[in-house]
Amino acid sequence: MTTQTTAAAAYAPGPRTVRAFYQVLVNTAVANVTSSYLWWALTFWAYLETRSVLATSIIGGSYMLLVALLGVVFGVLVDRMKKKVVMLLSSTVTLVTYLLAGALYLSFPESVLVDWGGPWFWLFAGVILIGGVVENLRNIALSTTVTLLVPADRRDRANGLVGAVHGIAFMVTSVFSGLSVGLLGMGWTVVIAIAATAVALTHLLFVPIPERGVVHVEGVVPQTGFRGVIPAVIVVPGLLALILFTTFNNLVGGVFMALMDPYGLELFSVELWGIILGITSFGFIIGGGLVAKFGLGKNPVRTLLIINVAIALLGMTFAIREWWWLYALGLLIFMCLMPIAEASEQTIIQRVVPFATQGRVFGFAASVESAAAPVSAFIVGPLAQFWLIPFMNSEAGQSSLGWLLGPGEARGIALVFVAASAILLIVVLLAFVSAPYRRLSRAYATAPPSLTTEPDGESETEPSEAVGEAGQDLRSAVR
């Protein structure tokens, strides 16, 4: 067997590396709180100052578009560099962009910055977006760090902890973003984000990630872009279908991304909306905690599809009446389900893709899946603003669909939620009976873990052997 890794992170995960993973997770929580805090604040501030669904959909869609364009690049960087170096790079770039945002805020009156028809609004929003997008570089690195530091039989639970940490970040930032914009204004919000980012970067310098080198597969020339990614994806039966399914799922996600905040801000004040998001984001912690406690079962592929059925049914009901408690309850359940779906996809990839190419596969998945959300966000924003909202506020709209959606000021947004979720339900049910679903389920069941450990810490499967077996398949795919 022809195999080799470089002076590698080729050692079996054990108690010491798991402790290192917990430290990385805490630091990532600090970084995510910071970027989410300013991102949510920007969205709230933009809608309140412009009262334009179109402006917020463009901002949200631009974020996802940048994630899509840079995902493969980020993934290749993660594979080609040590994971701590990647995380330091991400935090440094984020800090620089937030400093630029602060400089812009000080350079112009707020009346100029809030003019979304002018260039300074979009430049201000753009540098904040870049800082948030670069955070995805860290998140891709974190996904591969789970494989690096956590034994194979505990990775689904580790992914659940990742989801719970993201939930804590979401809970904290959604509350404080609304309060910050409402009570302090956008200027002080940017200052707080700069200070918190600097603290996270300093803390990261002292976080250990015991990685001795960078893994690569002998006989496969390191490549950038799609040439190095596609072979790593297609070599796994059914993996491309999984990514395409999640891509379609993100088309529906783009609808929610564009309209969830405007709908909430129609029902609540900005301060109360932030608090509602903070309370309902306990769902992330609940969902992640359930995965951390019970795992994902023997077939995470099946778990992923079941969760998407539940999401579709929820999307068809949580805005069917303009009742604040129904929307808040729906958000809570939705946020319970999301970390389970995310943990399922990550666990599948960590199992069926060799460690040497996981970064680019995670990056490719982020690019392709994220590319769908801007499409729907850019379409649904103008569609809701100029057609559906006026239609549902008219006598004709109320007479034709009032029996389903009831009365209220935001019935056009509710109509979009129902229609998008119904389409998602049909696609998920079709996926259950598809051949790729069966192929990927078999691939997961039979895949040998690339980095495993026995209870006494001895390696059950040598990493060089696992990478070598994967390398043979990958070399065949490249040829």
Side-chain angles (χ1 to χ4, degrees):
M1 179 184 299
T2 303
T3 95
Q4 198 41 37
T5 69
T6 59
Y11 56 86
R16 180 174 65 89
T17 62
V18 171
R19 287 193 295 271
F21 166 72
Y22 291 146
Q23 295 183 59
V24 173
L25 195 59
V26 170
N27 182 264
T28 300
V30 174
N32 283 347
V33 163
T34 304
S35 61
S36 297
Y37 166 77
L38 191 54
W39 166 249
W40 280 105
L42 174 65
T43 304
F44 296 161
W45 176 78
Y47 183 75
L48 290 173
E49 295 295 340
T50 66
R51 289 294 173 179
S52 172
V53 171
L54 181 58
T56 57
S57 67
I58 290 174
I59 291 172
S62 298
Y63 173 86
M64 300 305 294
L65 181 60
L66 286 173
V67 171
L69 292 175
L70 296 175
V72 170
V73 177
F74 288 169
V76 171
L77 285 175
V78 169
D79 281 342
R80 300 287 295 277
M81 300 169 64
K82 288 187 176 181
K83 307 305 176 273
K84 182 171 181 177
V85 174
V86 169
M87 293 181 178
L88 287 169
L89 175 63
S90 171
S91 292
T92 301
V93 173
T94 298
L95 178 60
V96 170
T97 59
Y98 290 174
L99 287 170
L100 287 174
L104 285 169
Y105 193 88
L106 291 175
S107 300
F108 299 95
E110 187 162 331
S111 60
V112 173
L113 286 179
V114 299
D115 178 14
W116 72 288
W120 300 115
F121 173 88
W122 295 109
L123 182 60
F124 179 69
V127 293
I128 294 175
L129 285 176
I130 291 171
V133 167
V134 173
E135 185 68 20
N136 283 277
L137 178 60
R138 168 192 281 270
N139 291 334
I140 292 172
L142 179 63
S143 296
T144 64
T145 303
V146 172
T147 309
L148 177 69
L149 302 178
V150 180
D153 60 349
R154 295 171 58 185
R155 286 175 195 154
D156 56 349
R157 291 168 169 78
N159 288 323
L161 289 176
V162 171
V165 164
H166 288 325
I168 293 172
F170 187 93
M171 177 184 64
V172 172
T173 57
S174 58
V175 172
F176 285 102
S177 294
L179 293 174
S180 184
V181 170
L183 301 177
L184 300 178
M186 193 63 187
W188 280 108
T189 300
V190 174
V191 170
I192 293 170
I194 291 171
T197 303
V199 169
L201 177 58
T202 303
H203 175 255
L204 182 60
L205 293 171
F206 301 96
V207 174
I209 300 181
E211 182 179 14
R212 292 193 289 268
V214 181
V215 175
H216 75 267
V217 180
E218 184 184 11
V220 179
V221 178
Q223 299 176 13
T224 59
F226 283 89
R227 289 187 61 193
V229 173
I230 299 300
V233 174
I234 64 175
V235 74
V236 179
L239 182 59
L240 182 59
L242 171 69
I243 293 174
L244 292 177
F245 169 77
T246 311
T247 299
F248 178 84
N249 194 16
N250 277 20
L251 281 170
V252 178
V255 174
F256 285 81
M257 177 183 65
L259 299 179
M260 188 173 287
D261 281 329
Y263 190 83
L265 290 169
E266 290 294 336
L267 299 180
F268 309 99
S269 68
V270 62
E271 294 90 349
L272 185 55
W273 175 233
I275 293 172
I276 291 294
L277 285 175
I279 294 172
T280 56
S281 64
F282 272 105
F284 282 117
I285 302 172
I286 295 169
L290 289 173
V291 176
K293 176 67 175 178
F294 300 107
L296 295 166
K298 294 182 178 179
N299 187 357
V301 187
R302 178 181 174 83
T303 302
L304 177 63
L305 294 185
I306 292 173
I307 292 299
N308 274 279
V309 169
I311 290 173
L313 294 174
L314 180 66
M316 295 170 65
T317 56
F318 78 150
I320 205 166
R321 289 293 184 275
E322 206 161 292
W323 299 333
W324 70 266
W325 62 266
L326 179 63
Y327 190 54
L329 178 62
L331 285 179
L332 176 65
I333 298 172
F334 178 75
M335 292 178 187
C336 285
L337 297 175
M338 291 307 296
I340 303 175
E342 183 68 20
S344 298
E345 183 182 9
Q346 297 221 348
T347 302
I348 294 165
I349 293 176
Q350 288 160 355
R351 173 81 179 209
V352 301
V353 176
F355 180 73
T357 56
Q358 279 184 16
R360 66 200 64 193
V361 171
F362 277 117
F364 173 74
S367 283
V368 177
E369 294 164 12
S370 299
V375 173
S376 54
F378 287 141
I379 291 174
V380 78
L383 188 66
Q385 178 86 18
F386 300 118
W387 181 43
L388 292 176
I389 292 176
F391 172 72
M392 286 305 299
N393 286 336
S394 69
E395 185 177 343
Q398 282 293 310
S399 62
S400 60
L401 292 172
W403 64 271
L404 176 64
L405 300 174
E409 296 296 321
R411 297 302 80 206
I413 297 177
L415 177 59
V416 178
F417 286 151
V418 171
S421 301
I423 294 172
L424 174 63
L425 179 61
I426 294 170
V427 171
V428 177
L429 293 177
L430 290 174
F432 259 116
V433 296
S434 68
Y437 163 69
R438 295 190 294 272
R439 287 197 295 267
L440 185 58
S441 296
R442 286 195 297 269
Y444 181 87
T446 59
S450 58
L451 293 171
T452 63
T453 183
E454 294 282 5
D456 62 2
E458 296 299 321
S459 175
E460 175 185 292
T461 302
E462 289 297 324
S464 60
E465 293 181 7
V467 173
E469 292 170 1
Q472 290 182 342
D473 292 337
L474 186 55
R475 285 191 292 273
S476 300
V478 171
R479 296 191 186 108

